[in-house]
Amino acid sequence: MYAFDYHRATTVEQARDRLRSQPGARVLAGGQSLVASMKLRLADPAELIDLAAIPALTGIQVGDRTVTIGAMTRHAEVAASADVQRALPSLAALAGGIADRMVRNMGTMGGSVANNDPAADYPSAVLALNATVITDRRRIAADDFFLGMFQTALEADELITSIQFKVPRRGAYIKYRHPASRYAIVGVYVADFGDSIRVAVTGAGPVVFRVADMERALSTKLSADSVAGIRIPSDGLNADIHAGAEYRADMVSVMAARAVETMLSEPLSW
Ligand SMILES: Cc1cc2nc3c(=O)[nH]c(=O)nc-3n(C[C@H](O)[C@H](O)[C@H](O)COP(=O)(O)OP(=O)(O)OC[C@H]3O[C@@H](n4cnc5c(N)ncnc54)[C@H](O)[C@@H]3O)c2cc1C
């Protein structure tokens, strides 16, 4: 690890001003990705601006068919929240399936979404639940947020303050997980909004994506059979020691069918 300075901000404005005035500074959330990459000398920020003491970045609010979660809310808090379990049970279940207890107690929703790891779970929820990423200066629609592997629409000095999810009538997230890290080798989130269905896939490609063919098929007939036979092209999908591109393409169909089956077993929330 290279040497760095440490600054603890207590307001969003303080963090943003510090980020602008200190060249090479990065914000620190749970540190579960950033500190690991610093240890490997893949990142060498001149300064870490810790967001943990900013009260405005935490908290969960349930509104009229929305759930808004502060950027510094830890995965364990989302999983254990009675409000999220009631209003958006598929999101609480997703959070409870991230990594292990230690990572869930440290990792944050804002950190995960800003990091945009191709195998992370939350990006699929943001996309399937048609969420809005709220920053210190604007609101970014989910469809415009995830640009590529570890790339987002965020400016270099822009901070996620919260994420507002739309509440579907029902939804489900199913992943084929890596047995050690629990990152998604392939994960599929399906959400039924009554007049539309959204299907988001993580882990399979360089960045989370929607599957229009599956969304169309589910809009015609809402059943697991509708997606089980749809196979996405393997071109451009991830291939590594865990799974090849062809295998990942097959797993998208399998996980999508399981997600629809699980979703249909859930009670309607509205
Ligand atoms: C062993 C292990 C297993 C894991 N398994 C999984 C898994 O199964 N599923 C999964 O989804 N994830 C998994 N993760 C990732 C983990 O869930 C963290 O969410 C993730 O590492 C990033 O969140 P963080 O809060 O730790 O962010 P940090 O590491 O602190 O920051 C990550 C990046 O985001 C930036 N950032 C942080 N907060 C903000 C903000 N509010 N606004 C703008 N930029 C910001 C930072 O500057 C940095 O560039 C795993 C991690 C580990 C170490």
Side-chain angles (χ1 to χ4, degrees):
M1 193 184 265
Y2 300 103
F4 61 92
D5 290 329
Y6 174 85
H7 179 85
R8 199 172 174 86
T10 52
T11 64
V12 172
E13 293 70 29
Q14 224 180 61
R16 187 190 49 214
D17 292 348
R18 190 88 194 168
L19 200 51
R20 281 184 182 160
S21 65
Q22 300 295 313
R26 301 257 304 260
V27 292
L28 175 71
Q32 298 302 293
S33 293
L34 183 52
V35 173
S37 57
M38 289 166 67
K39 283 183 182 167
L40 293 168
R41 296 196 166 193
L42 296 171
D44 65 337
E47 177 172 305
L48 289 185
I49 303 163
D50 194 345
L51 304 179
I54 305 179
L57 295 181
T58 56
I60 296 171
Q61 279 99 39
V62 177
D64 182 24
R65 291 195 194 163
T66 60
V67 174
T68 306
I69 300 182
M72 282 300 291
T73 311
R74 316 276 171 178
H75 310 328
E77 294 173 85
V78 176
S81 161
D83 284 340
V84 183
Q85 286 171 5
R86 192 177 52 251
L88 206 36
S90 51
L91 186 69
L94 176 151
I98 294 174
D100 50 58
R101 272 178 202 277
M102 197 207 76
V103 173
R104 287 198 294 276
N105 280 325
M106 292 299 294
T108 68
M109 179 172 283
S112 175
V113 172
N115 198 44
N116 191 20
D117 187 300
D121 298 299
Y122 273 135
S124 69
V126 171
L127 201 52
L129 297 173
N130 199 7
T132 303
V133 179
I134 301 170
T135 77
D136 60 314
R137 66 201 68 169
R138 59 182 171 147
R139 299 167 69 89
I140 309 172
D143 286 321
D144 301 327
F145 186 80
F146 301 104
L147 301 185
M149 189 181 277
F150 296 107
Q151 286 181 328
T152 69
L154 290 173
E155 304 287 338
D157 62 349
E158 189 168 12
L159 285 174
I160 298 178
T161 53
S162 63
I163 297 177
Q164 185 168 74
F165 296 92
K166 292 195 173 65
V167 174
R169 296 168 81 212
R170 52 194 165 179
Y173 174 69
I174 299 289
K175 70 173 161 177
Y176 177 51
R177 65 186 197 195
H178 184 280
S181 70
R182 298 196 185 176
Y183 271 114
I185 293 175
V186 171
V188 180
Y189 206 128
V190 180
D192 170 12
F193 286 94
D195 57 352
S196 65
I197 308 276
R198 290 172 72 101
V199 178
V201 176
T202 190
V207 65
V208 64
F209 59 92
R210 288 171 63 192
V211 186
D213 286 349
M214 289 187 175
E215 293 178 353
R216 265 193 299 275
L218 290 169
S219 298
T220 306
K221 186 177 168 224
L222 193 47
S223 101
D225 296 345
S226 301
V227 291
I230 297 177
R231 190 178 188 279
I232 64 164
S234 59
D235 302 348
L237 294 189
N238 298 334
D240 52 31
I241 56 166
H242 309 303
E246 293 286 330
Y247 185 74
R248 278 186 159 91
D250 286 339
M251 291 307 283
V252 170
S253 313
V254 175
M255 293 300 119
R258 289 185 191 169
V260 173
E261 211 171 286
T262 305
M263 180 177 82
L264 293 176
S265 69
E266 299 288 317
L268 289 173
S269 69
W270 49 269

